[in-house]
Amino acid sequence: MFDATYKIIIFGDAGTGKTTLTQRYMTNLFKSDSKMTIGVEFEVKSIEIDDFKIKLQIWDFGGEERFRFILPTYVKGAAGGIFMYDITNYSSLAHIDDWLLVIQKEAETLFPIIVVGGKGDLADEREVSNDEGIEIAKSRNASAFIECSAKTGANVEIVFESLTKSMMKNSGFY
Ligand code: GDP
Ligand code: MG
């Protein structure tokens, strides 16, 4: 039995590493999965936080324009969100407000969103400093800011743990 089930949505520009992050997280502590082939996929994984068993449904939006019609379904019932940008691509961070607007338009309730800078291993190609990421996250009232690398695995688990804790707070666990 689970103490809670949360739907997480991942959004951000194409190519920022959303699918790779999800896959990396799934396969490290391998659990079951389930796939949809129409522009959205979701994966299921259980996580334990402070002895609570939480089931995460992680939705990964393909992002192609032709799948925009899926967005209301995508956002419906979400308990938390991950906005992902690529630290080697400044415009992927600059698009944060476009994405937040799209999500807020469809959301029925406010839910915690964290800002995640992906491809942290590509230090030589960095276009966004850690400080810039932190600043944007703070100014948009994000619940957290984390840089990670799906390639090395650095901070990948922390992304999901941090968001889960925020969702638990938001739904009255603490
Ligand atoms: P999505 O469109 O946001 O789902 O992005 P993908 O997950 O498909 O990744 C886009 C590209 O970035 C792929 O070529 C990945 O191999 C690469 N990529 C994703 N994460 C990382 C990372 O942490 N480090 C590096 N070096 N490349 C990454
Ligand atoms: Mg993808």
Side-chain angles (χ1 to χ4, degrees):
M1 278 305 292
F2 290 96
D3 296 294
T5 299
Y6 294 127
K7 173 178 174 179
I8 295 174
I9 57 175
I10 308 190
F11 52 94
D13 286 4
T16 50
K18 302 180 296 297
T19 301
T20 311
L21 175 70
T22 307
Q23 293 311 319
R24 174 76 189 206
Y25 182 58
M26 298 306 296
T27 48
N28 256 356
L29 296 109
F30 201 78
K31 263 267 126 124
S32 74
D33 67 27
S34 134
K35 282 189 167 50
M36 286 169 33
T37 50
I38 41 165
V40 180
E41 297 192 342
F42 79 85
E43 308 273 3
V44 177
K45 180 171 171 105
S46 50
I47 179 173
E48 221 168 279
I49 305 261
D50 298 339
D51 289 335
F52 291 112
K53 278 194 81 183
I54 309 291
K55 185 163 146 183
L56 301 180
Q57 242 187 37
I58 305 167
W59 290 58
D60 172 26
F61 180 58
E64 297 95 340
E65 280 295 326
R66 70 199 160 102
F67 291 124
R68 286 259 155 171
F69 71 93
I70 290 172
L71 271 172
T73 311
Y74 189 64
V75 177
K76 191 179 165 70
I82 296 172
F83 166 72
M84 187 150 191
Y85 71 94
D86 170 352
I87 68 153
T88 72
N89 178 347
Y90 194 88
S91 69
S92 68
L93 177 64
H95 292 154
I96 184 170
D97 292 329
D98 301 340
W99 280 105
L100 290 177
L101 207 69
V102 165
I103 301 305
Q104 278 155 11
K105 209 179 121 217
E106 305 293 350
E108 300 140 309
T109 54
L110 276 179
F111 51 78
I113 290 174
I114 64 172
V115 172
V116 172
K119 310 193 189 180
D121 57 287
L122 298 178
D124 293 348
E125 298 167 44
R126 182 189 280 278
E127 284 185 5
V128 183
S129 71
N130 194 270
D131 285 349
E132 281 170 303
I134 291 171
E135 270 315 304
I136 294 241
K138 268 193 198 154
S139 64
R140 271 55 170 190
N141 283 322
S143 303
F145 168 76
I146 300 160
E147 276 192 7
C148 72
S149 167
K151 188 170 184 184
T152 67
N155 280 350
V156 167
E157 303 225 344
I158 290 174
V159 164
F160 292 92
E161 284 167 14
S162 166
L163 180 59
T164 303
K165 283 180 188 164
S166 294
M167 294 187 296
M168 289 171 77
K169 274 190 199 130
N170 194 43
S171 60
F173 272 85
Y174 302 107

PDB file of all heavy atoms in Angstrom, residues 28-62:
ATOM      1  N   ASN A  28      17.978   3.253 -12.783  1.00  0.00           N
ATOM      2  CA  ASN A  28      18.923   3.112 -11.681  1.00  0.00           C
ATOM      3  C   ASN A  28      18.392   2.197 -10.587  1.00  0.00           C
ATOM      4  O   ASN A  28      19.134   1.386 -10.061  1.00  0.00           O
ATOM      5  CB  ASN A  28      19.249   4.485 -11.090  1.00  0.00           C
ATOM      6  CG  ASN A  28      20.623   4.948 -11.525  1.00  0.00           C
ATOM      7  OD1 ASN A  28      21.337   4.215 -12.203  1.00  0.00           O
ATOM      8  ND2 ASN A  28      20.988   6.142 -11.135  1.00  0.00           N
ATOM      9  N   LEU A  29      17.156   2.387 -10.210  1.00  0.00           N
ATOM     10  CA  LEU A  29      16.570   1.570  -9.140  1.00  0.00           C
ATOM     11  C   LEU A  29      15.391   0.819  -9.721  1.00  0.00           C
ATOM     12  O   LEU A  29      14.284   0.851  -9.223  1.00  0.00           O
ATOM     13  CB  LEU A  29      16.072   2.454  -7.997  1.00  0.00           C
ATOM     14  CG  LEU A  29      17.096   3.259  -7.235  1.00  0.00           C
ATOM     15  CD1 LEU A  29      16.970   4.729  -7.549  1.00  0.00           C
ATOM     16  CD2 LEU A  29      16.951   3.002  -5.758  1.00  0.00           C
ATOM     17  N   PHE A  30      15.642   0.130 -10.724  1.00  0.00           N
ATOM     18  CA  PHE A  30      14.666  -0.346 -11.696  1.00  0.00           C
ATOM     19  C   PHE A  30      13.294  -0.733 -11.159  1.00  0.00           C
ATOM     20  O   PHE A  30      13.168  -1.475 -10.195  1.00  0.00           O
ATOM     21  CB  PHE A  30      15.261  -1.533 -12.454  1.00  0.00           C
ATOM     22  CG  PHE A  30      14.575  -1.745 -13.751  1.00  0.00           C
ATOM     23  CD1 PHE A  30      14.874  -0.942 -14.827  1.00  0.00           C
ATOM     24  CD2 PHE A  30      13.604  -2.724 -13.885  1.00  0.00           C
ATOM     25  CE1 PHE A  30      14.235  -1.113 -16.033  1.00  0.00           C
ATOM     26  CE2 PHE A  30      12.963  -2.893 -15.091  1.00  0.00           C
ATOM     27  CZ  PHE A  30      13.279  -2.085 -16.163  1.00  0.00           C
ATOM     28  N   LYS A  31      12.265  -0.212 -11.753  1.00  0.00           N
ATOM     29  CA  LYS A  31      10.874  -0.537 -11.402  1.00  0.00           C
ATOM     30  C   LYS A  31      10.043  -0.673 -12.663  1.00  0.00           C
ATOM     31  O   LYS A  31      10.539  -0.539 -13.761  1.00  0.00           O
ATOM     32  CB  LYS A  31      10.285   0.548 -10.503  1.00  0.00           C
ATOM     33  CG  LYS A  31      10.357   0.181  -9.031  1.00  0.00           C
ATOM     34  CD  LYS A  31       9.088  -0.497  -8.560  1.00  0.00           C
ATOM     35  CE  LYS A  31       9.373  -1.807  -7.909  1.00  0.00           C
ATOM     36  NZ  LYS A  31       8.941  -2.079  -6.618  1.00  0.00           N
ATOM     37  N   SER A  32       8.786  -0.947 -12.466  1.00  0.00           N
ATOM     38  CA  SER A  32       7.919  -1.213 -13.614  1.00  0.00           C
ATOM     39  C   SER A  32       7.720   0.037 -14.467  1.00  0.00           C
ATOM     40  O   SER A  32       7.961   1.143 -14.042  1.00  0.00           O
ATOM     41  CB  SER A  32       6.568  -1.680 -13.132  1.00  0.00           C
ATOM     42  OG  SER A  32       5.858  -0.592 -12.614  1.00  0.00           O
ATOM     43  N   ASP A  33       7.261  -0.124 -15.667  1.00  0.00           N
ATOM     44  CA  ASP A  33       6.964   1.037 -16.490  1.00  0.00           C
ATOM     45  C   ASP A  33       5.753   0.780 -17.376  1.00  0.00           C
ATOM     46  O   ASP A  33       5.281  -0.339 -17.509  1.00  0.00           O
ATOM     47  CB  ASP A  33       8.168   1.455 -17.334  1.00  0.00           C
ATOM     48  CG  ASP A  33       8.513   0.430 -18.390  1.00  0.00           C
ATOM     49  OD1 ASP A  33       7.615  -0.320 -18.834  1.00  0.00           O
ATOM     50  OD2 ASP A  33       9.679   0.358 -18.770  1.00  0.00           O
ATOM     51  N   SER A  34       5.270   1.835 -17.910  1.00  0.00           N
ATOM     52  CA  SER A  34       4.099   1.744 -18.764  1.00  0.00           C
ATOM     53  C   SER A  34       4.222   2.850 -19.791  1.00  0.00           C
ATOM     54  O   SER A  34       4.648   3.945 -19.481  1.00  0.00           O
ATOM     55  CB  SER A  34       2.846   1.900 -17.905  1.00  0.00           C
ATOM     56  OG  SER A  34       1.953   2.783 -18.490  1.00  0.00           O
ATOM     57  N   LYS A  35       3.897   2.547 -21.026  1.00  0.00           N
ATOM     58  CA  LYS A  35       4.177   3.525 -22.070  1.00  0.00           C
ATOM     59  C   LYS A  35       2.936   3.869 -22.877  1.00  0.00           C
ATOM     60  O   LYS A  35       2.109   3.034 -23.167  1.00  0.00           O
ATOM     61  CB  LYS A  35       5.239   2.974 -23.016  1.00  0.00           C
ATOM     62  CG  LYS A  35       6.630   3.062 -22.471  1.00  0.00           C
ATOM     63  CD  LYS A  35       7.630   2.715 -23.551  1.00  0.00           C
ATOM     64  CE  LYS A  35       9.053   3.070 -23.206  1.00  0.00           C
ATOM     65  NZ  LYS A  35       9.580   2.656 -21.971  1.00  0.00           N
ATOM     66  N   MET A  36       2.869   5.136 -23.235  1.00  0.00           N
ATOM     67  CA  MET A  36       1.858   5.569 -24.174  1.00  0.00           C
ATOM     68  C   MET A  36       2.610   6.123 -25.373  1.00  0.00           C
ATOM     69  O   MET A  36       3.685   6.652 -25.223  1.00  0.00           O
ATOM     70  CB  MET A  36       0.973   6.657 -23.550  1.00  0.00           C
ATOM     71  CG  MET A  36       0.021   6.073 -22.532  1.00  0.00           C
ATOM     72  SD  MET A  36      -0.865   7.211 -21.493  1.00  0.00           S
ATOM     73  CE  MET A  36      -1.124   8.603 -22.507  1.00  0.00           C
ATOM     74  N   THR A  37       2.040   5.980 -26.541  1.00  0.00           N
ATOM     75  CA  THR A  37       2.821   6.310 -27.730  1.00  0.00           C
ATOM     76  C   THR A  37       2.327   7.557 -28.447  1.00  0.00           C
ATOM     77  O   THR A  37       2.716   7.823 -29.557  1.00  0.00           O
ATOM     78  CB  THR A  37       2.793   5.133 -28.723  1.00  0.00           C
ATOM     79  OG1 THR A  37       1.451   4.734 -28.913  1.00  0.00           O
ATOM     80  CG2 THR A  37       3.592   3.974 -28.201  1.00  0.00           C
ATOM     81  N   ILE A  38       1.425   8.285 -27.794  1.00  0.00           N
ATOM     82  CA  ILE A  38       0.865   9.439 -28.482  1.00  0.00           C
ATOM     83  C   ILE A  38       1.427  10.756 -27.960  1.00  0.00           C
ATOM     84  O   ILE A  38       0.697  11.646 -27.568  1.00  0.00           O
ATOM     85  CB  ILE A  38      -0.677   9.475 -28.370  1.00  0.00           C
ATOM     86  CG1 ILE A  38      -1.084   9.072 -26.957  1.00  0.00           C
ATOM     87  CG2 ILE A  38      -1.306   8.584 -29.418  1.00  0.00           C
ATOM     88  CD1 ILE A  38      -2.514   9.404 -26.617  1.00  0.00           C
ATOM     89  N   GLY A  39       2.711  10.884 -27.937  1.00  0.00           N
ATOM     90  CA  GLY A  39       3.316  12.158 -27.577  1.00  0.00           C
ATOM     91  C   GLY A  39       3.597  12.301 -26.098  1.00  0.00           C
ATOM     92  O   GLY A  39       4.323  13.181 -25.699  1.00  0.00           O
ATOM     93  N   VAL A  40       3.017  11.434 -25.301  1.00  0.00           N
ATOM     94  CA  VAL A  40       3.261  11.460 -23.866  1.00  0.00           C
ATOM     95  C   VAL A  40       3.570  10.044 -23.415  1.00  0.00           C
ATOM     96  O   VAL A  40       2.993   9.093 -23.902  1.00  0.00           O
ATOM     97  CB  VAL A  40       2.007  11.936 -23.082  1.00  0.00           C
ATOM     98  CG1 VAL A  40       2.279  11.955 -21.590  1.00  0.00           C
ATOM     99  CG2 VAL A  40       1.556  13.288 -23.556  1.00  0.00           C
ATOM    100  N   GLU A  41       4.515   9.927 -22.503  1.00  0.00           N
ATOM    101  CA  GLU A  41       4.754   8.624 -21.907  1.00  0.00           C
ATOM    102  C   GLU A  41       4.700   8.818 -20.412  1.00  0.00           C
ATOM    103  O   GLU A  41       5.042   9.882 -19.920  1.00  0.00           O
ATOM    104  CB  GLU A  41       6.152   8.125 -22.264  1.00  0.00           C
ATOM    105  CG  GLU A  41       6.343   7.918 -23.740  1.00  0.00           C
ATOM    106  CD  GLU A  41       7.622   7.164 -24.039  1.00  0.00           C
ATOM    107  OE1 GLU A  41       8.492   7.114 -23.151  1.00  0.00           O
ATOM    108  OE2 GLU A  41       7.721   6.644 -25.148  1.00  0.00           O
ATOM    109  N   PHE A  42       4.266   7.808 -19.683  1.00  0.00           N
ATOM    110  CA  PHE A  42       4.481   7.919 -18.252  1.00  0.00           C
ATOM    111  C   PHE A  42       5.054   6.660 -17.658  1.00  0.00           C
ATOM    112  O   PHE A  42       4.851   5.564 -18.151  1.00  0.00           O
ATOM    113  CB  PHE A  42       3.241   8.431 -17.505  1.00  0.00           C
ATOM    114  CG  PHE A  42       2.164   7.415 -17.236  1.00  0.00           C
ATOM    115  CD1 PHE A  42       2.243   6.591 -16.117  1.00  0.00           C
ATOM    116  CD2 PHE A  42       1.067   7.337 -18.061  1.00  0.00           C
ATOM    117  CE1 PHE A  42       1.229   5.677 -15.844  1.00  0.00           C
ATOM    118  CE2 PHE A  42       0.060   6.430 -17.791  1.00  0.00           C
ATOM    119  CZ  PHE A  42       0.141   5.595 -16.694  1.00  0.00           C
ATOM    120  N   GLU A  43       5.832   6.881 -16.622  1.00  0.00           N
ATOM    121  CA  GLU A  43       6.538   5.819 -15.937  1.00  0.00           C
ATOM    122  C   GLU A  43       6.073   5.827 -14.487  1.00  0.00           C
ATOM    123  O   GLU A  43       5.712   6.867 -13.956  1.00  0.00           O
ATOM    124  CB  GLU A  43       8.046   6.084 -15.956  1.00  0.00           C
ATOM    125  CG  GLU A  43       8.623   6.376 -17.328  1.00  0.00           C
ATOM    126  CD  GLU A  43       9.019   5.114 -18.083  1.00  0.00           C
ATOM    127  OE1 GLU A  43       8.775   4.015 -17.536  1.00  0.00           O
ATOM    128  OE2 GLU A  43       9.555   5.235 -19.177  1.00  0.00           O
ATOM    129  N   VAL A  44       6.087   4.661 -13.878  1.00  0.00           N
ATOM    130  CA  VAL A  44       5.664   4.569 -12.488  1.00  0.00           C
ATOM    131  C   VAL A  44       6.814   4.066 -11.634  1.00  0.00           C
ATOM    132  O   VAL A  44       7.533   3.151 -12.031  1.00  0.00           O
ATOM    133  CB  VAL A  44       4.452   3.616 -12.345  1.00  0.00           C
ATOM    134  CG1 VAL A  44       4.058   3.463 -10.887  1.00  0.00           C
ATOM    135  CG2 VAL A  44       3.275   4.129 -13.153  1.00  0.00           C
ATOM    136  N   LYS A  45       6.988   4.686 -10.501  1.00  0.00           N
ATOM    137  CA  LYS A  45       8.082   4.286  -9.622  1.00  0.00           C
ATOM    138  C   LYS A  45       7.718   4.572  -8.182  1.00  0.00           C
ATOM    139  O   LYS A  45       7.050   5.561  -7.892  1.00  0.00           O
ATOM    140  CB  LYS A  45       9.318   5.099 -10.011  1.00  0.00           C
ATOM    141  CG  LYS A  45      10.521   4.774  -9.185  1.00  0.00           C
ATOM    142  CD  LYS A  45      11.732   5.449  -9.786  1.00  0.00           C
ATOM    143  CE  LYS A  45      12.907   5.331  -8.864  1.00  0.00           C
ATOM    144  NZ  LYS A  45      13.873   4.344  -9.321  1.00  0.00           N
ATOM    145  N   SER A  46       8.148   3.697  -7.285  1.00  0.00           N
ATOM    146  CA  SER A  46       7.874   3.992  -5.876  1.00  0.00           C
ATOM    147  C   SER A  46       9.127   4.535  -5.209  1.00  0.00           C
ATOM    148  O   SER A  46      10.254   4.209  -5.584  1.00  0.00           O
ATOM    149  CB  SER A  46       7.355   2.753  -5.146  1.00  0.00           C
ATOM    150  OG  SER A  46       8.189   1.665  -5.380  1.00  0.00           O
ATOM    151  N   ILE A  47       8.896   5.388  -4.252  1.00  0.00           N
ATOM    152  CA  ILE A  47       9.993   6.054  -3.550  1.00  0.00           C
ATOM    153  C   ILE A  47       9.615   6.093  -2.075  1.00  0.00           C
ATOM    154  O   ILE A  47       8.419   6.175  -1.744  1.00  0.00           O
ATOM    155  CB  ILE A  47      10.211   7.480  -4.130  1.00  0.00           C
ATOM    156  CG1 ILE A  47      11.335   8.236  -3.430  1.00  0.00           C
ATOM    157  CG2 ILE A  47       8.938   8.320  -4.080  1.00  0.00           C
ATOM    158  CD1 ILE A  47      11.668   9.585  -4.096  1.00  0.00           C
ATOM    159  N   GLU A  48      10.602   5.968  -1.206  1.00  0.00           N
ATOM    160  CA  GLU A  48      10.319   6.031   0.219  1.00  0.00           C
ATOM    161  C   GLU A  48      10.939   7.291   0.806  1.00  0.00           C
ATOM    162  O   GLU A  48      12.119   7.560   0.616  1.00  0.00           O
ATOM    163  CB  GLU A  48      10.884   4.799   0.917  1.00  0.00           C
ATOM    164  CG  GLU A  48       9.936   4.246   1.960  1.00  0.00           C
ATOM    165  CD  GLU A  48      10.343   2.867   2.445  1.00  0.00           C
ATOM    166  OE1 GLU A  48      10.050   1.870   1.752  1.00  0.00           O
ATOM    167  OE2 GLU A  48      10.966   2.810   3.523  1.00  0.00           O
ATOM    168  N   ILE A  49      10.105   8.083   1.461  1.00  0.00           N
ATOM    169  CA  ILE A  49      10.583   9.318   2.098  1.00  0.00           C
ATOM    170  C   ILE A  49      10.121   9.286   3.552  1.00  0.00           C
ATOM    171  O   ILE A  49       8.926   9.208   3.817  1.00  0.00           O
ATOM    172  CB  ILE A  49       9.999  10.578   1.410  1.00  0.00           C
ATOM    173  CG1 ILE A  49      10.297  10.579  -0.098  1.00  0.00           C
ATOM    174  CG2 ILE A  49      10.469  11.855   2.110  1.00  0.00           C
ATOM    175  CD1 ILE A  49      11.449  11.406  -0.574  1.00  0.00           C
ATOM    176  N   ASP A  50      11.059   9.329   4.487  1.00  0.00           N
ATOM    177  CA  ASP A  50      10.721   9.314   5.918  1.00  0.00           C
ATOM    178  C   ASP A  50       9.734   8.195   6.261  1.00  0.00           C
ATOM    179  O   ASP A  50       8.746   8.430   6.960  1.00  0.00           O
ATOM    180  CB  ASP A  50      10.131  10.671   6.349  1.00  0.00           C
ATOM    181  CG  ASP A  50      11.123  11.806   6.158  1.00  0.00           C
ATOM    182  OD1 ASP A  50      12.335  11.523   6.096  1.00  0.00           O
ATOM    183  OD2 ASP A  50      10.678  12.955   6.050  1.00  0.00           O
ATOM    184  N   ASP A  51       9.986   7.004   5.733  1.00  0.00           N
ATOM    185  CA  ASP A  51       9.146   5.830   6.002  1.00  0.00           C
ATOM    186  C   ASP A  51       7.765   5.880   5.347  1.00  0.00           C
ATOM    187  O   ASP A  51       6.960   4.983   5.540  1.00  0.00           O
ATOM    188  CB  ASP A  51       8.976   5.580   7.512  1.00  0.00           C
ATOM    189  CG  ASP A  51      10.278   5.082   8.132  1.00  0.00           C
ATOM    190  OD1 ASP A  51      11.095   4.500   7.376  1.00  0.00           O
ATOM    191  OD2 ASP A  51      10.479   5.291   9.337  1.00  0.00           O
ATOM    192  N   PHE A  52       7.490   6.914   4.567  1.00  0.00           N
ATOM    193  CA  PHE A  52       6.254   6.938   3.787  1.00  0.00           C
ATOM    194  C   PHE A  52       6.530   6.327   2.425  1.00  0.00           C
ATOM    195  O   PHE A  52       7.560   6.613   1.807  1.00  0.00           O
ATOM    196  CB  PHE A  52       5.747   8.375   3.601  1.00  0.00           C
ATOM    197  CG  PHE A  52       5.244   9.020   4.856  1.00  0.00           C
ATOM    198  CD1 PHE A  52       5.930  10.089   5.422  1.00  0.00           C
ATOM    199  CD2 PHE A  52       4.093   8.554   5.486  1.00  0.00           C
ATOM    200  CE1 PHE A  52       5.476  10.692   6.586  1.00  0.00           C
ATOM    201  CE2 PHE A  52       3.635   9.150   6.648  1.00  0.00           C
ATOM    202  CZ  PHE A  52       4.322  10.219   7.203  1.00  0.00           C
ATOM    203  N   LYS A  53       5.615   5.485   1.979  1.00  0.00           N
ATOM    204  CA  LYS A  53       5.747   4.896   0.646  1.00  0.00           C
ATOM    205  C   LYS A  53       4.936   5.724  -0.345  1.00  0.00           C
ATOM    206  O   LYS A  53       3.720   5.853  -0.219  1.00  0.00           O
ATOM    207  CB  LYS A  53       5.232   3.448   0.636  1.00  0.00           C
ATOM    208  CG  LYS A  53       6.268   2.464   1.141  1.00  0.00           C
ATOM    209  CD  LYS A  53       5.861   1.033   0.809  1.00  0.00           C
ATOM    210  CE  LYS A  53       6.214   0.670  -0.623  1.00  0.00           C
ATOM    211  NZ  LYS A  53       5.758  -0.698  -0.964  1.00  0.00           N
ATOM    212  N   ILE A  54       5.623   6.270  -1.325  1.00  0.00           N
ATOM    213  CA  ILE A  54       4.978   7.172  -2.272  1.00  0.00           C
ATOM    214  C   ILE A  54       5.109   6.580  -3.674  1.00  0.00           C
ATOM    215  O   ILE A  54       6.173   6.090  -4.060  1.00  0.00           O
ATOM    216  CB  ILE A  54       5.668   8.557  -2.267  1.00  0.00           C
ATOM    217  CG1 ILE A  54       5.803   9.112  -0.840  1.00  0.00           C
ATOM    218  CG2 ILE A  54       4.941   9.514  -3.194  1.00  0.00           C
ATOM    219  CD1 ILE A  54       4.525   9.509  -0.163  1.00  0.00           C
ATOM    220  N   LYS A  55       4.011   6.622  -4.395  1.00  0.00           N
ATOM    221  CA  LYS A  55       4.041   6.168  -5.786  1.00  0.00           C
ATOM    222  C   LYS A  55       4.099   7.391  -6.695  1.00  0.00           C
ATOM    223  O   LYS A  55       3.263   8.288  -6.591  1.00  0.00           O
ATOM    224  CB  LYS A  55       2.768   5.366  -6.065  1.00  0.00           C
ATOM    225  CG  LYS A  55       2.711   4.722  -7.421  1.00  0.00           C
ATOM    226  CD  LYS A  55       1.625   3.653  -7.363  1.00  0.00           C
ATOM    227  CE  LYS A  55       0.884   3.489  -8.649  1.00  0.00           C
ATOM    228  NZ  LYS A  55      -0.193   2.494  -8.481  1.00  0.00           N
ATOM    229  N   LEU A  56       5.088   7.407  -7.567  1.00  0.00           N
ATOM    230  CA  LEU A  56       5.234   8.528  -8.502  1.00  0.00           C
ATOM    231  C   LEU A  56       4.839   8.078  -9.901  1.00  0.00           C
ATOM    232  O   LEU A  56       5.272   7.036 -10.378  1.00  0.00           O
ATOM    233  CB  LEU A  56       6.690   9.030  -8.536  1.00  0.00           C
ATOM    234  CG  LEU A  56       7.288   9.523  -7.233  1.00  0.00           C
ATOM    235  CD1 LEU A  56       8.727   9.984  -7.482  1.00  0.00           C
ATOM    236  CD2 LEU A  56       6.467  10.655  -6.629  1.00  0.00           C
ATOM    237  N   GLN A  57       4.020   8.882 -10.533  1.00  0.00           N
ATOM    238  CA  GLN A  57       3.668   8.695 -11.943  1.00  0.00           C
ATOM    239  C   GLN A  57       4.362   9.826 -12.668  1.00  0.00           C
ATOM    240  O   GLN A  57       3.989  10.990 -12.519  1.00  0.00           O
ATOM    241  CB  GLN A  57       2.166   8.891 -12.095  1.00  0.00           C
ATOM    242  CG  GLN A  57       1.406   7.702 -12.586  1.00  0.00           C
ATOM    243  CD  GLN A  57      -0.035   8.065 -12.859  1.00  0.00           C
ATOM    244  OE1 GLN A  57      -0.346   9.157 -13.328  1.00  0.00           O
ATOM    245  NE2 GLN A  57      -0.909   7.138 -12.554  1.00  0.00           N
ATOM    246  N   ILE A  58       5.382   9.503 -13.437  1.00  0.00           N
ATOM    247  CA  ILE A  58       6.189  10.560 -14.061  1.00  0.00           C
ATOM    248  C   ILE A  58       5.810  10.688 -15.531  1.00  0.00           C
ATOM    249  O   ILE A  58       6.020   9.754 -16.310  1.00  0.00           O
ATOM    250  CB  ILE A  58       7.696  10.236 -13.901  1.00  0.00           C
ATOM    251  CG1 ILE A  58       8.024  10.016 -12.421  1.00  0.00           C
ATOM    252  CG2 ILE A  58       8.547  11.351 -14.485  1.00  0.00           C
ATOM    253  CD1 ILE A  58       9.383   9.385 -12.179  1.00  0.00           C
ATOM    254  N   TRP A  59       5.231  11.819 -15.875  1.00  0.00           N
ATOM    255  CA  TRP A  59       4.748  12.063 -17.237  1.00  0.00           C
ATOM    256  C   TRP A  59       5.764  12.888 -18.009  1.00  0.00           C
ATOM    257  O   TRP A  59       6.213  13.937 -17.559  1.00  0.00           O
ATOM    258  CB  TRP A  59       3.404  12.800 -17.209  1.00  0.00           C
ATOM    259  CG  TRP A  59       2.268  11.960 -16.717  1.00  0.00           C
ATOM    260  CD1 TRP A  59       2.187  11.326 -15.512  1.00  0.00           C
ATOM    261  CD2 TRP A  59       1.051  11.658 -17.417  1.00  0.00           C
ATOM    262  NE1 TRP A  59       0.978  10.658 -15.419  1.00  0.00           N
ATOM    263  CE2 TRP A  59       0.261  10.850 -16.570  1.00  0.00           C
ATOM    264  CE3 TRP A  59       0.547  12.015 -18.677  1.00  0.00           C
ATOM    265  CZ2 TRP A  59      -0.992  10.378 -16.939  1.00  0.00           C
ATOM    266  CZ3 TRP A  59      -0.706  11.551 -19.035  1.00  0.00           C
ATOM    267  CH2 TRP A  59      -1.462  10.736 -18.175  1.00  0.00           C
ATOM    268  N   ASP A  60       6.093  12.404 -19.184  1.00  0.00           N
ATOM    269  CA  ASP A  60       7.136  13.025 -20.011  1.00  0.00           C
ATOM    270  C   ASP A  60       6.520  13.454 -21.335  1.00  0.00           C
ATOM    271  O   ASP A  60       6.187  12.629 -22.171  1.00  0.00           O
ATOM    272  CB  ASP A  60       8.244  11.961 -20.210  1.00  0.00           C
ATOM    273  CG  ASP A  60       9.298  12.396 -21.204  1.00  0.00           C
ATOM    274  OD1 ASP A  60       9.496  13.611 -21.373  1.00  0.00           O
ATOM    275  OD2 ASP A  60       9.933  11.493 -21.797  1.00  0.00           O
ATOM    276  N   PHE A  61       6.323  14.753 -21.465  1.00  0.00           N
ATOM    277  CA  PHE A  61       5.663  15.294 -22.660  1.00  0.00           C
ATOM    278  C   PHE A  61       6.649  15.383 -23.817  1.00  0.00           C
ATOM    279  O   PHE A  61       7.745  15.918 -23.673  1.00  0.00           O
ATOM    280  CB  PHE A  61       5.107  16.687 -22.336  1.00  0.00           C
ATOM    281  CG  PHE A  61       4.400  17.348 -23.485  1.00  0.00           C
ATOM    282  CD1 PHE A  61       3.313  16.726 -24.092  1.00  0.00           C
ATOM    283  CD2 PHE A  61       4.809  18.585 -23.948  1.00  0.00           C
ATOM    284  CE1 PHE A  61       2.641  17.339 -25.145  1.00  0.00           C
ATOM    285  CE2 PHE A  61       4.143  19.214 -24.997  1.00  0.00           C
ATOM    286  CZ  PHE A  61       3.060  18.584 -25.596  1.00  0.00           C
ATOM    287  N   GLY A  62       6.252  14.843 -24.960  1.00  0.00           N
ATOM    288  CA  GLY A  62       7.119  14.870 -26.128  1.00  0.00           C
ATOM    289  C   GLY A  62       7.444  16.285 -26.578  1.00  0.00           C
ATOM    290  O   GLY A  62       8.527  16.561 -27.058  1.00  0.00           O
TER     291      GLY A  62
END
